[in-house]
């Protein structure tokens, strides 16, 4: 069977590098998310929005939803990064581009929506967005390292 380009479709292969990247990102992104939330976002949101009852909570339902969020984020990050590396090369420039585009698409939209609904402030954005950008840049560099190491 061929595609519109005349090339035979390739079957996806889950390599040792991709599995390692998923595990590395599972550890890194979860640690980064927990640090950012508990050290910066939660206290800043509570200070900024004291009129909102139970703003920025941490309880079992929130923890479970956060687990779903992180699972989606990690899967999307590694999948998108692997596509970028496959298309543009396994180099640091592609890692920076992949991390930045993913950050803009996920965290940029999330925080822009929160700001648009008056659920955050510019001071929170000034802290949360750069930390999230660093998180996804490191994530992309980790994925690159895993893929290079397990070629």
């Amino acid at each position: 069977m061929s595609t519109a380009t005349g090339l035979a479709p390739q079957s996806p292969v889950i390599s040792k590098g991709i599995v390692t990247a998923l595990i590395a990102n599972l550890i890194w992104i979860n640690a980064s998310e927990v640090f950012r939330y508990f050290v910066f976002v939660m206290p800043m949101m509570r200070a900024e929005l004291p009129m909102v009852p139970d703003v920025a909570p941490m309880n079992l339902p929130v923890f479970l939803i956060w687990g779903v969020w992180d699972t989606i984020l990690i899967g999307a990050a590694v999948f998108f990064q692997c596509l970028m590396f496959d298309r543009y090369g396994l180099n640091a420039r592609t890692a920076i581009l992949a991390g930045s585009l993913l950050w803009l698409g996920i965290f940029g939209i999330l925080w822009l929506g929160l700001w648009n609904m008056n659920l955050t402030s510019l001071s929170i954005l000034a802290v949360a967005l750069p930390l999230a950008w660093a998180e996804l840049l490191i994530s992309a560099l980790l994925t690159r390292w895993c893929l290079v190491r397990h070629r």
Side-chain angles (χ1 to χ4, degrees), residues 4-5 13 30 34-35 41-42 63 69 72 78 90 105-107 111 117 120 125 142 145:
T5 61
V13 176
N30 276 294
V34 167
F35 172 78
V41 174
M42 185 172 66
F63 181 75
W69 160 265
I72 293 168
V78 173
L90 195 53
I106 293 175
F107 289 102
W111 285 100
M117 294 184 292
T120 193
L125 292 179
L142 265 174
W145 181 79

Side-chain angles (χ1 to χ4, degrees), residues 9-65:
Q10 295 178 353
S11 61
V13 176
I14 302 296
S15 68
K16 188 174 182 179
I18 293 172
V19 171
T20 306
L22 283 166
I23 293 168
N25 276 284
L26 175 77
I27 295 165
W28 163 246
I29 288 176
N30 276 294
S32 176
E33 292 277 318
V34 167
F35 172 78
R36 184 173 63 248
Y37 184 73
F38 281 106
V39 175
F40 295 103
V41 174
M42 185 172 66
M44 292 177 83
M45 293 289 281
R46 288 179 177 175
E48 186 72 29
L49 299 167
M51 71 294 287
V52 177
D54 200 27
V55 69
M58 183 45 71
N59 52 42
L60 184 59
V62 171
F63 181 75
L64 294 173
I65 291 169

Side-chain angles (χ1 to χ4, degrees), residues 13-25 77-92 94-95 98 138-151:
V13 176
I14 302 296
S15 68
K16 188 174 182 179
I18 293 172
V19 171
T20 306
L22 283 166
I23 293 168
N25 276 284
V78 173
F79 178 73
F80 181 74
Q81 293 158 4
C82 287
L83 287 176
M84 291 286 292
F85 289 131
D86 187 53
R87 177 67 175 96
Y88 297 107
L90 195 53
N91 56 59
T94 302
I138 292 169
S139 168
L141 291 168
L142 265 174
T143 299
R144 178 184 176 272
W145 181 79
C146 292
L147 294 174
V148 167
R149 185 169 182 250
H150 294 289
R151 276 191 186 181

Side-chain angles (χ1 to χ4, degrees), residues 76-132:
V78 173
F79 178 73
F80 181 74
Q81 293 158 4
C82 287
L83 287 176
M84 291 286 292
F85 289 131
D86 187 53
R87 177 67 175 96
Y88 297 107
L90 195 53
N91 56 59
R93 181 179 175 201
T94 302
I96 293 167
L97 182 62
S100 297
L101 288 173
L102 194 64
W103 165 79
L104 192 58
I106 293 175
F107 289 102
I109 290 172
L110 168 73
W111 285 100
L112 183 62
L114 289 172
W115 187 57
N116 187 50
M117 294 184 292
N118 290 323
L119 294 174
T120 193
S121 66
L122 289 177
S123 62
I124 295 172
L125 292 179
V127 172
L129 283 174
L131 289 173

